[in-house]
Amino acid sequence: IGEIARLSGQNKAIVDRHMTELLEHGFVEQVGSDRQYRLGPALIKLSSLREAAAPTREVSKKILQMLNEKTCETSHLSMIAGTQLNVTAYSYSSRHGTRVTMEDAEVISFHSTSSGLAVLAYREAHFQDKILSRPLEKRTAFTITDPTKIRDMLDRIRDQGCAESVSGFEEDVHSIACPVFNAARDCIGAIAVAAPVARMNTDLKNTTKDALFKASLEITQLM
């Protein structure tokens, strides 16, 4: 309770009431001798209902595998959740022992990833302003944190139809991404391929871009 109160900025009494109610409905559960909180089983049901109504993971699975076959590199789909960008699904190629790895439900930044830049380029101005007005973390020596430079990059991304990031989020990772849209033509996420910098030569880059253009169109149509 103390840690949650500190992170949320609420007092302990309010946090205790909230957590008790979440506990009663199964959204959290307590474990261990110190009764720490973790996510509860009710979220599994919510996740299943969401996937049944909008089968994002199922729709993307085959497309991500197709990208693996074309590029022999890691592919992933990221979706906007409020003002965050979350990795929704990913797929690995078995071709290489050394590969870019992902985490389930990983939160990735807008300004330092190809997926984030692809989303920013195709979102409305007020969304861009909200993201770029926040403190931008410099994750590596190559991360660009100047909002003016990032806005210039967004113009080029719209011209090219895809975004690239070289060591911006993680050193020695070169990623390329294309935006994904919904039926209202709003950009809702991005589909990307990530590879070690040493393997992303001109041939792989061209192959990846061609495959991503097709993949982004296909997943947009399916959604």
Side-chain angles (χ1 to χ4, degrees):
I1 290 293
E3 186 179 6
I4 296 170
R6 179 178 58 80
L7 292 169
S8 66
Q10 302 289 329
N11 66 54
K12 286 187 178 182
I14 291 175
V15 170
D16 188 56
R17 289 202 301 272
H18 287 325
M19 297 308 292
T20 298
E21 189 163 351
L22 290 171
L23 185 65
E24 289 174 357
H25 292 282
F27 291 104
V28 297
E29 58 187 10
Q30 288 182 294
V31 294
S33 58
D34 53 359
R35 308 295 289 163
Q36 287 195 341
Y37 289 98
R38 70 180 180 190
L39 298 179
L43 292 175
I44 299 174
K45 180 180 179 181
L46 285 180
S47 176
S48 298
L49 290 171
R50 174 64 170 81
E51 186 64 16
T56 306
R57 291 177 69 92
E58 191 59 35
V59 162
S60 62
K61 187 175 180 181
K62 291 182 180 179
I63 298 173
L64 293 175
Q65 290 174 343
M66 177 275 290
L67 284 172
N68 290 155
E69 294 170 3
K70 295 280 188 181
T71 66
C72 300
E73 300 294 347
T74 298
S75 59
H76 61 94
L77 176 71
S78 302
M79 305 291 285
I80 299 173
T83 55
Q84 287 188 334
L85 190 61
N86 298 337
V87 175
T88 305
Y90 57 85
S91 182
Y92 296 140
S93 169
S94 59
R95 175 74 176 273
H96 303 289
T98 303
R99 61 192 178 191
V100 178
T101 58
M102 313 294 298
E103 294 181 15
D104 290 325
E106 182 176 0
V107 177
I108 59 178
S109 59
F110 285 96
H111 69 288
S112 62
T113 65
S114 61
S115 295
L117 291 168
V119 168
L120 279 181
Y122 287 91
R123 290 289 296 195
E124 58 277 10
H126 71 82
F127 186 89
Q128 296 174 4
D129 293 341
K130 184 181 293 186
I131 299 300
L132 296 179
S133 64
R134 304 186 304 196
L136 302 178
E137 180 186 6
K138 192 169 184 64
R139 290 184 56 94
T140 75
F142 302 96
T143 305
I144 297 173
T145 58
D146 184 338
T148 301
K149 291 181 179 179
I150 293 172
R151 290 181 188 279
D152 290 340
M153 292 168 61
L154 301 184
D155 291 335
R156 293 195 296 273
I157 290 166
R158 284 189 293 271
D159 288 340
Q160 298 170 2
C162 66
E164 288 188 59
S165 175
V166 183
S167 297
F169 187 73
E170 185 178 349
E171 286 197 26
D172 297 322
V173 172
H174 188 146
S175 64
I176 304 174
C178 285
V180 172
F181 301 87
N182 63 13
R185 300 182 182 180
D186 298 320
C187 180
I188 56 173
I191 190 165
V193 169
V197 168
R199 282 208 300 268
M200 188 61 83
N201 56 31
T202 301
D203 288 342
L204 178 56
K205 189 184 297 187
N206 291 336
T207 298
T208 298
K209 287 181 179 179
D210 288 343
L212 279 172
F213 285 137
K214 295 173 184 176
S216 63
L217 177 60
E218 185 175 355
I219 202 164
T220 293
Q221 290 172 335
L222 288 171
M223 287 189 175

